[in-house]
Amino acid sequence: MLSIAFVPSIALLLAGVALAGYLLYTAIAARTFITKVHNSAPIAVQFFASLQQERQLTLTDLATRGAVRAQLSEVRHKTDATGAGQAQNLAGLYDQAPPRVQASINQTAAQLAQLPDFRSKVDAGGVSLLDAYTFYNRILDTYTDGLLGVAERTPDAQTAYLRATAMPLFVAADQMARSIALASGGIAHGGLTDDEFTAFIGMAGAYHAGFDNAVPEMIPAVAQQYNALKTTPVWATVTGVEQSILGGNHRSLPPGVTPQQWQASATQVAGALMNLYIQQSTNATDIEIDTGNRDLITAIAAGAAAIVLAVIVTIIAWRMSSRLVRRLDRLREDTLEMSDKRLPSLVERVRGGEDVDLEQEMALLDHGDDEIGQVAEAFNRAQQTAVAAAVDEAKTREGTNKVFLNIAHRSQVLVHRQLKALDEAERKQEDPDQLDLLFKLDHLSTRARRNAENLIILGGERPGRQWRNPVALADLIRGATAETEDYARVNVGRMPGLAVDGPVVADLIHLLAELIDNATSFSPPQSRVEVWGDVVGRGVVLEIEDQGVGMEPEQIDELNATLADPPDFSVMALSQEPRLGLFVVAQLASRHGITVTLRHSAYGGTRAIVLVRSELLTPVPLADEPEPVAPPVPVPPQQGPVSDHPSQPTRRAQPVPRPVETPPHNGTLPTPEPGGTPVNLFRPARE
């Protein structure tokens, strides 16, 4: 749950860090680049000046056929030295430079690589003045394009404008140097050619127009120096030579001007003009550095603010999500406790018929009025609906159970009266045939009574029969056998000389009658059912073994689980195979702590093992001990012993003690007598 809140918070934090990093990187990169440009300006100016001087001396050397070779060689060394320093500066700028500046650096490096070969051609006299003029101009034009690229790299509009206004000064200063170089070479050669003269006119006019047009954009200090330069003698000397050449005298200098004076004046003016560009450009660079510093500070502040904001948002989101998670955890714990413990217990008590104060015991969840509270309220309504349904179900079950038991008790009363009438008829009858018919009717009535008792047991009550005194196991087995339809097939073997406590007798007779009846019902008609008992460490074991088709191991395991832990009758009745007889046996065994287990028989059928605990047993009563007297239940003589069974029982027709009559279940029902009808316990497994 916390991840739902942390994911956007962490994303925001990362975005803040990324934004801060980007701003810092951009500001630092811009400041670093412009600082490098500013630091490389002095060596660049020296390189430009030496290259311009080499251009002028190269043209003069070509015109005079080597007259200034020594001076030219000296300037060439200076150009190489300053060019190496400039190349190093450009290499440091390359990674941070914009594409246009990088292209300029590459072109300049290629052109400077051609310089040694070009100088060799100059020394050999194989280059014209215009070719030399064009070669050096191309190098300087490439630098000019790179300077324009630096202006484009400027992030601030103001500094970009100031740097752009400085470029005309650089161009005009170079144009002035170009015009001097053309004039120097042409005069030394004996006059300018038409092409050289045309180029001279263009350069001279261009640099004058360039400076005059740049005056409004110059900073005050630069404008003041420019105006002062125009009043100096060196400016007058340079412009005087220009006017003489433009007037048509391009073969010699004007009267009164020596070549040395003219060259010195031209060098001084060119340096002054280049200095004007440097001051204008430096002003732009200083402003740009200041802007970069401000941008860096702003980037640091903005980045820190973004990070702080992201951290604050993350903390708030964490606290809010933690609070939400705690509320959800509490809701989960409350609902789980209610659904797993309190609500099932409450429903079970309601179903059990217990009076429950729902207002006091059905605690409602209260988690506020927001969405979580609405979920809790929905659970409250579901809980109330479930409890209301359980109450209605309990009322319905209680009413149904009352009707169910009322019908069972009515049937029990009728069967009880029928048995009494049969007893009287049996006592008065002398005819054997008629007496045999009465015995059959008595037996069927006994089975009907057991059916009625089954209904009472299924309804959760006890049958009315019970014994006050202990009953011997042998008599008890005979009574259970007498309640089965095929009693003639039951072979009762050796029984221990012990008795069962009176309160247990009725239920144990009923339990054994169910098992014996099912053993006879689900075995071949000609086969026998063996019943015998033995004393064991924990009490007495009674075994009932048939010779039927048996059951699958999975079915036996399932039935044993039901016998060990009787399910709720509603669960049993609603299952696909109800097995109501099994439910009756399980209920009776659970009531007295008797253990009933099913096993495979050696004959291929099923063996039911009934363990009666020692606490339920007692010695057989003495013969003179008073015992209730009742008419005997007929048990036909044994049809023939089973020679291979270890018990070798002897069957005799003996009377089974009648139970003492107890008060009816509801105050009106008489106590029934032993007997009943089998419930098909094993039918689901054998069909």
Side-chain angles (χ1 to χ4, degrees):
M1 182 65 189
L2 287 176
S3 60
I4 299 177
F6 276 133
V7 167
S9 300
I10 293 176
L12 179 62
L13 180 60
L14 294 177
V17 173
L19 176 62
Y22 173 76
L23 293 175
L24 288 174
Y25 173 78
T26 303
I28 292 174
R31 185 180 182 279
T32 301
F33 177 74
I34 197 60
T35 301
K36 289 181 178 180
V37 171
H38 181 268
N39 294 335
S40 65
I43 191 68
V45 171
Q46 295 177 15
F47 174 70
F48 295 155
S50 63
L51 190 63
Q52 290 172 348
Q53 189 176 7
E54 181 178 345
R55 177 181 57 189
Q56 178 181 346
L57 290 176
T58 298
L59 296 180
T60 302
D61 184 78
L62 289 172
T64 59
R65 300 182 183 275
V68 293
R69 183 63 54 82
Q71 188 178 359
L72 178 59
S73 297
E74 183 180 350
V75 172
R76 285 176 176 176
H77 290 300
K78 184 178 180 182
T79 300
D80 292 339
T82 55
Q86 180 65 1
Q88 184 177 1
N89 288 337
L90 294 178
L93 290 171
Y94 190 86
D95 292 336
Q96 296 176 306
R100 184 173 181 179
V101 176
Q102 291 179 348
S104 174
I105 293 173
N106 294 332
Q107 293 177 9
T108 301
Q111 291 169 351
L112 291 179
Q114 299 173 4
L115 190 58
D117 292 340
F118 182 78
R119 288 171 177 172
S120 298
K121 294 179 181 180
V122 170
D123 294 342
V127 179
S128 66
L129 270 66
L130 282 178
D131 290 339
Y133 176 76
T134 303
F135 178 81
Y136 286 103
N137 289 347
R138 189 162 51 246
I139 296 175
L140 292 171
D141 288 340
T142 303
Y143 267 101
T144 301
D145 189 68
L147 291 175
L148 291 173
V150 172
E152 293 177 357
R153 177 69 168 77
T154 304
D156 182 71
Q158 179 184 3
T159 55
Y161 174 76
L162 292 176
R163 189 169 292 280
T165 57
M167 286 307 301
L169 300 181
F170 176 82
V171 173
D174 183 59
Q175 289 172 342
M176 184 269 177
R178 293 182 185 188
S179 66
I180 295 297
L182 281 173
S184 176
I187 292 174
H189 193 258
L192 297 173
T193 64
D194 292 340
D195 293 337
E196 293 172 350
F197 182 70
T198 300
F200 175 82
I201 294 174
M203 291 297 104
Y207 92 81
H208 281 289
F211 274 107
D212 292 340
N213 293 332
V215 169
E217 306 298 338
M218 294 179 182
I219 61 176
V222 172
Q224 183 179 1
Q225 292 181 27
Y226 175 68
N227 292 327
L229 177 64
K230 294 172 64 175
T231 61
T232 59
V234 293
W235 179 269
T237 300
V238 172
T239 55
V241 173
E242 290 175 357
Q243 293 299 323
S244 175
I245 295 174
L246 292 175
N249 181 20
H250 49 80
R251 296 182 180 274
S252 61
L253 294 174
V257 179
T258 64
Q260 292 77 15
Q261 183 182 2
W262 177 51
Q263 291 295 333
S265 298
T267 301
Q268 188 175 352
V269 170
L273 294 178
M274 185 59 68
N275 186 57
L276 295 179
Y277 160 73
I278 292 173
Q279 291 187 52
Q280 185 79 12
S281 178
T282 301
N283 177 70
T285 301
D286 292 339
I287 294 177
E288 189 171 359
I289 291 175
D290 293 340
T291 303
N293 291 333
R294 289 196 301 271
D295 291 344
L296 179 60
I297 295 173
T298 302
I300 294 174
I307 294 175
V308 170
L309 178 62
V311 171
I312 292 175
V313 171
T314 302
I315 293 175
I316 294 175
W318 178 77
R319 295 188 63 180
M320 294 180 65
S321 60
S322 297
R323 179 174 175 270
L324 178 62
V325 169
R326 286 195 298 270
R327 293 184 61 196
L328 290 175
D329 286 341
R330 187 164 62 89
L331 176 62
R332 180 184 62 184
E333 293 174 358
D334 291 346
T335 53
L336 288 177
E337 182 183 2
M338 181 63 68
S339 61
D340 294 343
K341 298 179 181 179
R342 300 177 63 181
L343 187 58
S345 175
L346 184 62
V347 170
E348 187 65 26
R349 291 167 60 192
V350 170
R351 287 179 175 176
E354 182 179 344
D355 292 332
V356 177
D357 188 355
L358 299 181
E359 295 294 334
Q360 295 293 330
E361 299 195 33
M362 190 171 62
L364 300 179
L365 305 179
D366 185 9
H367 288 263
D369 299 328
D370 57 1
E371 289 79 1
I372 297 178
Q374 293 171 6
V375 173
E377 182 61 28
F379 185 82
N380 288 335
R381 291 196 294 271
Q383 176 188 193
Q384 291 170 341
T385 302
V387 174
V391 171
D392 293 339
E393 179 187 355
K395 291 179 179 178
T396 302
R397 289 179 61 184
E398 182 180 0
T400 303
N401 199 47
K402 288 181 179 179
V403 174
F404 185 80
L405 290 174
N406 187 27
I407 295 174
H409 285 304
R410 288 175 182 271
S411 299
Q412 188 182 37
V413 170
L414 293 176
V415 174
H416 181 70
R417 292 177 180 176
Q418 185 177 355
L419 287 171
K420 281 188 175 181
L422 288 172
D423 284 343
E424 293 178 3
E426 289 169 3
R427 294 189 187 98
K428 297 176 182 179
Q429 185 59 249
E430 299 291 340
D431 186 355
D433 293 335
Q434 295 297 325
L435 186 61
D436 183 65
L437 179 60
L438 290 175
F439 282 165
K440 290 181 179 179
L441 292 175
D442 184 280
H443 179 73
L444 293 175
S445 298
T446 303
R447 289 184 60 197
R449 182 185 61 190
R450 184 152 57 90
N451 277 345
E453 290 181 352
N454 283 346
L455 295 177
I456 295 173
I457 293 171
L458 295 178
E461 294 187 358
R462 287 175 174 267
R465 292 188 298 163
Q466 63 176 317
W467 274 257
R468 180 181 298 114
N469 298 319
V471 175
L473 276 173
D475 296 336
L476 188 145
I477 294 296
R478 287 199 306 274
T481 304
E483 294 191 7
T484 61
E485 182 176 3
D486 291 334
Y487 53 83
R489 292 168 48 201
V490 179
N491 183 29
V492 180
R494 182 177 59 250
M495 289 293 164
L498 294 172
V500 178
D501 290 340
V504 185
V505 171
D507 289 341
L508 186 56
I509 290 175
H510 198 134
L511 184 152
L512 293 172
E514 291 288 346
L515 295 176
I516 294 172
D517 190 68
N518 278 276
T520 59
S521 299
F522 295 98
S523 59
Q526 70 277 8
S527 65
R528 303 196 60 79
V529 175
E530 304 295 340
V531 181
W532 69 90
D534 200 358
V535 178
V536 295
R538 298 177 59 187
V540 170
V541 167
L542 303 176
E543 298 192 33
I544 303 167
E545 185 174 31
D546 63 45
Q547 299 175 11
V549 297
M551 292 183 291
E552 297 295 332
E554 296 80 6
Q555 293 175 319
I556 290 182
D557 293 339
E558 182 180 355
L559 294 177
N560 283 330
T562 303
L563 291 169
D565 185 15
D568 183 78
F569 175 62
S570 60
V571 176
M572 195 73 183
L574 294 176
S575 63
Q576 294 182 352
E577 298 179 350
R579 299 170 182 169
L580 299 181
L582 173 65
F583 180 76
V584 170
V585 171
Q587 291 291 332
L588 293 175
S590 176
R591 183 179 298 172
H592 300 288
I594 298 172
T595 303
V596 180
T597 308
L598 303 180
R599 293 287 184 269
H600 288 290
S601 170
Y603 303 111
T606 304
R607 175 186 296 178
I609 303 173
V610 181
L611 173 62
V612 183
R613 296 180 294 110
S614 300
E615 303 91 84
L616 306 178
L617 302 174
T618 187
V620 176
L622 298 176
D624 57 354
E625 184 175 328
E627 185 71 30
V629 178
V633 178
V635 180
Q638 180 177 328
Q639 300 296 324
V642 179
S643 60
D644 59 349
H645 197 277
S647 62
Q648 290 296 325
T650 301
R651 180 183 295 276
R652 298 192 306 270
Q654 296 179 357
V656 179
R658 292 285 189 178
V660 176
E661 292 190 1
T662 58
H665 171 74
N666 55 6
T668 60
L669 296 179
T671 303
E673 299 175 355
T677 302
V679 176
N680 294 334
L681 176 61
F682 303 120
R683 180 177 296 278
R686 300 190 182 194
E687 288 181 350

